[in-house]
Structures are given as structure tokens and as C-alpha cells.
Amino acid sequence: MASSRYEGVLLGMGNLLLDISAVVDEAFLAKYDIKPGNAILAEEKHLPMYDELARSANVKYSAGGSSQNSIRVAQWMLQIPGATSFMGCIGKDKFGEETKINAQAAGVNVHYYEVDNAPTGTCAVCVVGGERSLVANLSAANCYNVEHLKRPDNWALVEKAKYIYIAGFFLTVSPDSIQLVAEHAAATNKVFMTNLSAPFICEIFRDTQEKALPYADYIFGNETEARTFARVRGWVTQNTEEIALKISQLPKASGAHKRITVITQGCDPVVVADDGKVKTFPVIFLPKEKLVDTNGAGDAFVGGFLSQLVQEKSIDECVRAACYAANVIIQRSGCTYPENPDFS
């Protein structure tokens, strides 16, 4: 595969966070008022938790942030130097340096906006019985702005990319940046993709989400997010297949691509709504004792999917790669992977 043809083909943007991951107990979740499997933004009451996690004997650090996780996994699956790029914001600190080193080692071409008035964002990953709960303290990630995106060396990444992925979490930070990139994609027939990301995005940031969705050629999400999305809109159904179909049929800004909706359901089949039809795909069975943690599973799923999409493979192949990547990640701690993929 000629690498020049794929140079910068996939661009990601989003919140840059350093994952601080540790196995905790139910009492820890109760102490900080965290629900199992949740993904939320940190409030005042959560702030002491980061130090407590950092003191944990089993603590692990890894470059996180939903969009960047997906881009790192896509890069790993592709094994083509320079195929992926990423933009987001970090602080000028130790965690920021750590994030840079981590992303560069993954082979992603990163253009970070670096600020000195806020520390690099962190995400507490609290693992209980293999299930993860996420609490994000955005800090510097919250400082990203559209001016950085408009700088010629950064906009060049947008110009070069044929596929652009921005998870829904970025709606809380820089909707202007999303709009600019989405409109560019629509005007130039590029493929723009996003993610429902979390129930709170579908609820609290509904209006911002509503502006971005018409531009989305692919919308990813899990069954909880999909049901929240439906409930907020007053749709009577809680059936994942029906919701996926309705999302795929929402108005589109550009007619160049039809919208495809991809909804994961944990160990239940993946739902794909495409061109008025729904298909389901079984996931790879994993015995309970092999599950390490689900942190990054959804991100890895998207990364695997994108790795085949940018090579213009069929949807079936994209889903197969997505399931493979998610299966690898849940057998490891955090969103990490072995040196080379074993996918053919």
C-alpha cells in the first residue's frame, strides 16, 4: 500500500486528556457520587479524586481523550506512517509532554495548541469489575479555539484529509471549530463523522449537537446514548435498530453521501443503519475472565472502523475491523494495544 496516497487521509479533533486509570471499589464510586459505566464532566466534589487515584498502587497513565484514542487505534491498524493527524489543546506541563510523547510514539501527526494558563486535562478512569466510569477534568482541553484551527499550518491538515472524525465531547469546547470543519467537508465532498459520545451530550448539549448532525455522514454511538438521544427528541421507541434508522434519516446538509449510523451494544450485535435498511453484526465472543476493562472499547471500535473506511473497504469489513480492535483493547488496561495488529 503506497503510503503517500494515504498521507494525512484521516484527521481527528477533540479533547486531549491524560487518562489516570486504576481499579477501585464500590465504596470509592459512592464516595465521589459516580455511577458505574458513566461518562461525566468533573465537578468540585470530584477534584480530590485525581490525587487519590494517582496514589493507587495499580495506577496507569495513557494518552486519552475519546477522539484521539480512535485516531491512535486507526493509525495502529493502518500501520502506514503519517496516515493520521490530530488537533486539540494541552497545557505546557509534565502531563502535556507525556501526551505528546505518547501520540508521537503511536505515529499520529499531532498539532497541539499549547497553553500556559491551564494544566493538561485529565480523565479519571475508575474500573470496577472490568466496567469503567469516566470523570473528565477538561482544564486545558477546554481552551481549544477556532483561531488555532485557522492557522495555515493547521488548516492544511483539514485541506489534506479526506475523512474527518470529531467525537461529540468536543461540542462542549469548540462548536465553532466543528462547524468550520463540517462545512468544509460538505463543500468538498469529504466524509465527516461524529459520535453521540455520552448521554449528557445528547441531553445538555442538544442544541449544539443539532447544528453539527446535518453534516455527519457517519454517526457512531452505543445503545445507552442512542436511547437518550431518542428520549430527548420525544421518539417513542427504545429499540436500538429503529433509533439507528431514524438517526440515519435525519436531514443532511449535503447529498454527496448518505448517512450511516453505527450503534454498539456491548456484547450484543452491532447495529448498522444504511440506506433505509438495518443490518446487525455479531461481536467477537470474549470469556468474562479475559475482560480486563472496557475503557476505550467504543473509541477502539471507531478506530478500527475508520482504518478500513479510509481504504474504501465495505461496511462489513469496517465493522469486522471495529470489532477486532475493540476486542483487543478490552483485554488490556486502558486504550492500549500490542505492537502490531493481527487483523487480515
Side-chain angles (χ1 to χ4, degrees):
M1 202 183 318
S3 60
S4 61
R5 181 180 152 206
Y6 288 99
E7 195 189 334
V9 69
L10 174 61
L11 169 67
M13 293 179 69
N15 299 342
L16 277 165
L17 303 169
L18 187 75
D19 279 357
I20 305 174
S21 176
V23 175
V24 299
D25 54 19
E26 301 280 357
F28 183 94
L29 296 188
K31 177 180 176 182
Y32 291 108
D33 193 22
I34 302 164
K35 292 182 178 67
N38 213 346
I40 58 172
L41 292 177
E43 297 169 40
E44 200 67 39
K45 64 184 176 188
H46 298 121
L47 299 181
M49 178 179 66
Y50 295 88
D51 282 339
E52 190 172 339
L53 277 180
R55 290 195 301 273
S56 167
N58 65 60
V59 67
K60 289 191 176 71
Y61 295 93
S62 60
S66 182
S67 302
Q68 182 171 255
N69 281 345
S70 295
I71 298 300
R72 281 195 305 129
V73 170
Q75 179 63 46
W76 170 68
M77 290 283 287
L78 281 162
Q79 295 285 309
I80 304 168
T84 63
S85 314
F86 191 84
M87 284 189 268
C89 186
I90 56 173
K92 291 181 180 171
D93 53 23
K94 182 170 74 77
F95 283 168
E97 284 308 311
E98 189 85 21
T99 306
K100 255 193 287 193
I101 291 163
N102 212 307
Q104 282 156 355
V108 180
N109 172 25
V110 296
H111 282 214
Y112 290 160
Y113 176 39
E114 297 182 44
V115 295
D116 42 25
N117 59 345
T120 296
T122 48
C123 182
V125 182
C126 312
V127 181
V128 179
E131 188 167 25
R132 58 85 179 133
S133 299
L134 308 176
V135 186
N137 185 13
L138 296 181
S139 299
N142 219 4
C143 302
Y144 192 84
N145 65 54
V146 74
E147 296 314 315
H148 177 262
L149 173 62
K150 288 177 179 171
R151 281 189 4 208
D153 55 331
N154 298 326
W155 189 253
L157 297 181
V158 180
E159 296 273 359
K160 187 176 274 187
K162 294 191 179 78
Y163 297 82
I164 299 163
Y165 175 71
I166 305 178
F169 291 118
F170 204 48
L171 289 167
T172 74
V173 171
S174 190
D176 296 357
S177 298
I178 297 177
Q179 210 60 24
L180 197 62
V181 168
E183 286 170 6
H184 164 82
T188 53
N189 288 346
K190 293 179 177 183
V191 178
F192 179 72
M193 303 164 286
T194 189
N195 202 310
L196 300 179
S197 290
F200 84 88
I201 298 289
C202 303
E203 289 170 322
I204 304 166
F205 293 91
R206 178 188 167 167
D207 292 351
T208 325
Q209 189 184 51
E210 207 92 308
K211 283 200 188 83
L213 288 184
Y215 295 94
D217 300 305
Y218 285 80
I219 296 177
F220 297 91
N222 66 28
E223 78 278 37
T224 315
E225 294 150 8
R227 286 180 186 137
T228 305
F229 185 92
R231 181 174 50 73
V232 166
R233 278 162 183 73
W235 298 353
V236 287
T237 181
Q238 286 287 286
N239 176 299
T240 316
E241 294 184 24
E242 287 176 20
I243 296 168
L245 198 56
K246 282 173 83 84
I247 292 174
S248 72
Q249 291 166 339
L250 288 171
K252 270 192 107 264
S254 145
H257 311 280
K258 57 186 189 300
R259 180 182 299 116
I260 296 175
T261 309
V262 185
I263 305 293
T264 59
Q265 310 187 87
C267 55
D268 291 328
V270 175
V271 174
V272 177
D274 173 12
D275 205 17
K277 291 184 281 295
V278 173
K279 268 179 94 169
T280 59
F281 299 83
V283 300
I284 304 163
F285 173 74
L286 185 72
K288 185 84 173 125
E289 63 275 11
K290 285 196 161 178
L291 173 72
V292 175
D293 78 56
T294 55
N295 180 32
D299 302 337
F301 179 92
V302 172
F305 192 101
L306 299 182
S307 73
Q308 304 308 297
L309 188 68
V310 302
Q311 298 177 70
E312 296 171 17
K313 299 281 176 66
S314 70
I315 293 295
D316 293 38
E317 273 304 280
C318 293
V319 174
R320 195 168 72 84
C323 291
Y324 164 78
N327 183 265
V328 169
I329 263 75
I330 61 176
Q331 296 182 63
R332 302 167 68 92
S333 174
C335 193
T336 62
Y337 36 77
E339 194 171 341
N340 292 302
D342 176 23
F343 177 80
S344 54

